[in-house]
PDB file of all heavy atoms in Angstrom:
ATOM      1  N   PHE A 360      -0.400 -11.766  -6.658  1.00 97.00           N
ATOM      2  CA  PHE A 360       0.432 -11.257  -5.488  1.00 97.00           C
ATOM      3  C   PHE A 360       1.795 -11.864  -5.428  1.00 97.00           C
ATOM      4  O   PHE A 360       1.897 -13.025  -5.855  1.00 97.00           O
ATOM      5  CB  PHE A 360      -0.374 -11.673  -4.234  1.00 97.00           C
ATOM      6  CG  PHE A 360      -1.779 -11.114  -3.980  1.00 97.00           C
ATOM      7  CD1 PHE A 360      -2.890 -11.821  -4.479  1.00 97.00           C
ATOM      8  CD2 PHE A 360      -1.937  -9.928  -3.319  1.00 97.00           C
ATOM      9  CE1 PHE A 360      -4.112 -11.267  -4.309  1.00 97.00           C
ATOM     10  CE2 PHE A 360      -3.286  -9.335  -3.116  1.00 97.00           C
ATOM     11  CZ  PHE A 360      -4.277 -10.146  -3.692  1.00 97.00           C
ATOM     12  N   LEU A 361       2.677 -11.106  -4.961  1.00 95.00           N
ATOM     13  CA  LEU A 361       4.076 -11.446  -4.843  1.00 95.00           C
ATOM     14  C   LEU A 361       4.256 -12.934  -4.107  1.00 95.00           C
ATOM     15  O   LEU A 361       4.931 -13.778  -4.526  1.00 95.00           O
ATOM     16  CB  LEU A 361       4.997 -10.436  -4.256  1.00 95.00           C
ATOM     17  CG  LEU A 361       5.478  -9.338  -5.171  1.00 95.00           C
ATOM     18  CD1 LEU A 361       6.332  -8.455  -4.323  1.00 95.00           C
ATOM     19  CD2 LEU A 361       6.265  -9.824  -6.352  1.00 95.00           C
ATOM     20  N   PHE A 362       3.542 -12.919  -2.894  1.00 96.00           N
ATOM     21  CA  PHE A 362       3.744 -14.158  -2.134  1.00 96.00           C
ATOM     22  C   PHE A 362       2.532 -15.092  -2.090  1.00 96.00           C
ATOM     23  O   PHE A 362       2.410 -15.989  -1.296  1.00 96.00           O
ATOM     24  CB  PHE A 362       4.052 -13.752  -0.643  1.00 96.00           C
ATOM     25  CG  PHE A 362       5.087 -12.658  -0.494  1.00 96.00           C
ATOM     26  CD1 PHE A 362       5.045 -11.707   0.531  1.00 96.00           C
ATOM     27  CD2 PHE A 362       6.231 -12.713  -1.365  1.00 96.00           C
ATOM     28  CE1 PHE A 362       6.098 -10.863   0.553  1.00 96.00           C
ATOM     29  CE2 PHE A 362       7.306 -11.829  -1.276  1.00 96.00           C
ATOM     30  CZ  PHE A 362       7.193 -10.902  -0.331  1.00 96.00           C
ATOM     31  N   ASN A 363       1.598 -14.759  -2.992  1.00 97.00           N
ATOM     32  CA  ASN A 363       0.426 -15.694  -3.214  1.00 97.00           C
ATOM     33  C   ASN A 363       0.034 -15.602  -4.675  1.00 97.00           C
ATOM     34  O   ASN A 363      -0.842 -14.754  -5.041  1.00 97.00           O
ATOM     35  CB  ASN A 363      -0.659 -15.254  -2.281  1.00 97.00           C
ATOM     36  CG  ASN A 363      -1.938 -16.232  -2.392  1.00 97.00           C
ATOM     37  OD1 ASN A 363      -2.101 -16.878  -3.407  1.00 97.00           O
ATOM     38  ND2 ASN A 363      -2.630 -16.191  -1.413  1.00 97.00           N
ATOM     39  N   ASP A 364       0.677 -16.391  -5.535  1.00 96.00           N
ATOM     40  CA  ASP A 364       0.481 -16.359  -6.929  1.00 96.00           C
ATOM     41  C   ASP A 364      -0.725 -17.109  -7.434  1.00 96.00           C
ATOM     42  O   ASP A 364      -0.980 -17.415  -8.575  1.00 96.00           O
ATOM     43  CB  ASP A 364       1.686 -16.621  -7.784  1.00 96.00           C
ATOM     44  CG  ASP A 364       2.277 -18.039  -7.588  1.00 96.00           C
ATOM     45  OD1 ASP A 364       1.611 -18.837  -6.928  1.00 96.00           O
ATOM     46  OD2 ASP A 364       3.385 -18.361  -8.023  1.00 96.00           O
ATOM     47  N   THR A 365      -1.489 -17.681  -6.479  1.00 98.00           N
ATOM     48  CA  THR A 365      -2.681 -18.497  -6.806  1.00 98.00           C
ATOM     49  C   THR A 365      -3.964 -17.711  -6.559  1.00 98.00           C
ATOM     50  O   THR A 365      -5.044 -18.335  -6.522  1.00 98.00           O
ATOM     51  CB  THR A 365      -2.661 -19.819  -6.089  1.00 98.00           C
ATOM     52  OG1 THR A 365      -2.652 -19.592  -4.625  1.00 98.00           O
ATOM     53  CG2 THR A 365      -1.520 -20.671  -6.484  1.00 98.00           C
ATOM     54  N   SER A 366      -3.776 -16.361  -6.317  1.00 98.00           N
ATOM     55  CA  SER A 366      -4.956 -15.542  -6.120  1.00 98.00           C
ATOM     56  C   SER A 366      -5.034 -14.313  -7.014  1.00 98.00           C
ATOM     57  O   SER A 366      -3.959 -13.861  -7.417  1.00 98.00           O
ATOM     58  CB  SER A 366      -4.963 -14.954  -4.610  1.00 98.00           C
ATOM     59  OG  SER A 366      -5.198 -16.082  -3.731  1.00 98.00           O
ATOM     60  N   LEU A 367      -6.187 -13.898  -7.333  1.00 98.00           N
ATOM     61  CA  LEU A 367      -6.321 -12.658  -8.164  1.00 98.00           C
ATOM     62  C   LEU A 367      -6.516 -11.468  -7.103  1.00 98.00           C
ATOM     63  O   LEU A 367      -7.211 -11.561  -6.211  1.00 98.00           O
ATOM     64  CB  LEU A 367      -7.676 -12.743  -8.978  1.00 98.00           C
ATOM     65  CG  LEU A 367      -7.636 -13.687 -10.091  1.00 98.00           C
ATOM     66  CD1 LEU A 367      -9.029 -13.893 -10.654  1.00 98.00           C
ATOM     67  CD2 LEU A 367      -6.770 -13.394 -11.205  1.00 98.00           C
ATOM     68  N   ARG A 368      -5.885 -10.424  -7.427  1.00 98.00           N
ATOM     69  CA  ARG A 368      -5.945  -9.219  -6.645  1.00 98.00           C
ATOM     70  C   ARG A 368      -7.104  -8.267  -7.084  1.00 98.00           C
ATOM     71  O   ARG A 368      -7.254  -7.977  -8.263  1.00 98.00           O
ATOM     72  CB  ARG A 368      -4.606  -8.422  -6.792  1.00 98.00           C
ATOM     73  CG  ARG A 368      -4.566  -7.144  -6.012  1.00 98.00           C
ATOM     74  CD  ARG A 368      -3.418  -6.284  -6.467  1.00 98.00           C
ATOM     75  NE  ARG A 368      -2.144  -6.882  -6.437  1.00 98.00           N
ATOM     76  CZ  ARG A 368      -1.337  -6.764  -5.402  1.00 98.00           C
ATOM     77  NH1 ARG A 368      -1.603  -6.083  -4.369  1.00 98.00           N
ATOM     78  NH2 ARG A 368      -0.083  -7.342  -5.437  1.00 98.00           N
TER      79      ARG A 368
END
Side-chain angles (χ1 to χ4, degrees):
F360 298 90
L361 278 182
F362 307 147
N363 183 336
D364 61 11
T365 57
S366 292
L367 293 168
R368 180 194 303 266

